[in-house]
Amino acid sequence: MKAFTLESSDRPARTIDIPRPEVGEADALVAVKAASVNGIDVYQAMGALAGMLEHAYPAVIGRDFSGVVESVGPAFDRFAAGDEVFGFIPTVPPLKSGAFAEYVSGGPALVLARKPAGLGFDTAAALPLAGSAALDLIDAIAAKKGDVVLIVGATGGVGSFAVQLAAQRGLTVIATALPDQDTYVRELGAADTIDYSAGSVADAVRSWYPGGIGALIDVVNQKDALSALASVVRPGGHVATLMGAADVEGLAARGVGASNVMAAPTAEKLNLLAQLAESGALRVRIDGAYAIDRADEALQAFQRGTRGKIVLTF
C-alpha cells in the first residue's frame, strides 16, 4: 500500500510502498478515504519527534482519518465490515502506525466513531484532533456566558473550531486575524478581530477592555509571547494553551488560572463533533485537498498557514 512514511530520523518522510497492515484478533482494518494534517504530523515528518518519542521504522505519518471498515478480527466488536468511520491514532511509542496510508489497522487503543451519512469523508477526517483540542481548550477556560475570550491562532483548524464553539456557548470572541481573514473569522462567530501584524495584540485588547478580559486561548505562541498576552486576563480569568507555554504558578500568583492542554480525542468527543458538523452548527472548512503522492505539498501548505484544514485523499 502507499503510505507517507518516515524511514529514518535523518531524512524527511516520503510516499513509498509498504506492506498492508495485518489484522489482529482484536483489530479492525480500515480502508482510508481521507486523512487530515496536524502540527504533530509536520514535526514527525521532519524527524523532529525522533529524539522525544521512540519510532519503529518505517513509521507512517498522520493521526486523523476517515474510511470504511474492511475487516475485523474475531474479538473486535465495535464496528463491522462496511461501516463508515472516522478516527484518531494515539501517539503511543513506538510510533509506527499512521493515517497517511491506504489502510489503517488498530485495536482497543484506536479511537473510532461512526461517520454520519450526511458527513463527507474529507470533513470527518478534519475533525478528530483539532476538534477535540478545541473542545478541551473551551472546557479548560471554564468561561461564563458573556465573558470575553481572546483566541490567538483563530484561522487554523483548532482556532476555527474554538471560535465557533466559544461563540455557541455565549462567549464574546476576539480573534486575531490578518485583514483579509477578517470576514472569515467573523462568519465563524468572532465579535471583533485584531490584526496581529499591525502592532501589539495585548495593547489593542487593553484599549478596548482596560479592566481585562475573562480568558485567553492561544494555539500559537511560546512562553514570552504568551506571557505578554496573558497579562490582559483579569484576576479570576483563565489562560489555556496547546503550546505547553503557560506559567501556571506565575499566573496563579495574580489570581489567573492556567492550563497547558494536551488534546485527548475520545469516541465521545468525535461523536459530538460529528453531530455538530452534520447539523451545520460546526463549519469545517477544507483549505486544500491533496492526493497521497503529494503529501509533502500538503505539509508545506499547512506550514504556510491555513483557513481551516488540509486533507489528504485516497
Side-chain angles (χ1 to χ4, degrees), residues 5-295:
T5 304
L6 190 68
E7 298 168 90
S8 68
S9 62
D10 58 359
R11 55 178 171 166
R14 64 191 183 110
T15 301
I16 61 173
D17 286 316
I18 62 172
R20 189 159 124 173
E22 297 181 357
V23 184
E25 179 87 2
D27 291 350
L29 180 70
V30 178
V32 177
K33 296 294 186 183
S36 73
V37 178
N38 296 288
I40 189 173
D41 306 326
V42 175
Y43 291 121
Q44 187 185 10
M46 296 186 299
L49 291 184
M52 294 180 263
L53 297 170
E54 181 186 356
H55 283 54
Y57 299 108
V60 181
I61 309 301
R63 302 293 110 197
D64 291 343
F65 66 92
S66 64
V68 180
V69 177
E70 184 151 307
S71 62
V72 298
F76 188 94
D77 59 3
R78 289 185 285 161
F79 295 97
D83 287 345
E84 296 183 349
V85 296
F86 70 115
F88 173 78
I89 301 172
T91 313
V92 178
L95 301 188
K96 183 171 181 64
S97 298
F100 295 179
E102 292 180 296
Y103 291 91
V104 163
S105 178
L110 190 67
V111 180
L112 272 183
R114 189 175 303 279
K115 183 188 77 64
L119 208 61
F121 284 106
D122 288 8
T123 300
L127 288 171
L129 185 54
S132 296
L135 287 171
D136 293 344
L137 288 163
I138 296 294
D139 287 343
I141 61 172
K144 302 182 294 295
K145 185 175 181 179
D147 282 351
V148 177
V149 56
L150 171 65
I151 298 182
V152 180
T155 59
V158 177
S160 64
F161 292 148
V163 169
Q164 296 177 76
L165 293 169
Q168 288 170 16
R169 295 193 187 187
L171 307 183
T172 299
V173 177
I174 305 171
T176 59
L178 295 172
D180 65 350
Q181 300 167 333
D182 180 89
T183 299
Y184 171 59
V185 292
R186 287 182 185 273
E187 288 174 348
L188 295 176
D192 284 299
T193 65
I194 295 176
D195 179 2
Y196 58 85
S197 69
S200 168
V201 171
D203 287 348
V205 173
R206 283 193 197 93
S207 71
W208 294 345
Y209 300 95
I213 62 173
L216 164 67
I217 289 175
D218 193 317
V219 301
V220 175
N221 288 299
Q222 299 296 335
K223 291 189 175 180
D224 290 344
L226 180 67
S227 294
L229 289 167
S231 67
V232 305
V233 179
R234 64 175 180 264
H238 204 100
V239 173
T241 173
L242 290 180
M243 307 304 291
D247 177 5
V248 177
E249 292 183 1
L251 287 166
R254 65 179 189 85
V256 176
S259 300
N260 288 307
V261 174
M262 293 286 289
T266 64
E268 291 74 20
K269 290 174 188 173
L270 267 57
N271 284 325
L272 172 59
L273 292 164
Q275 292 168 12
L276 291 172
E278 186 183 33
S279 70
L282 185 68
R283 291 176 53 189
V284 183
R285 187 179 193 274
I286 304 301
D287 201 31
Y290 298 78
I292 182 62
D293 291 330
R294 299 173 59 207

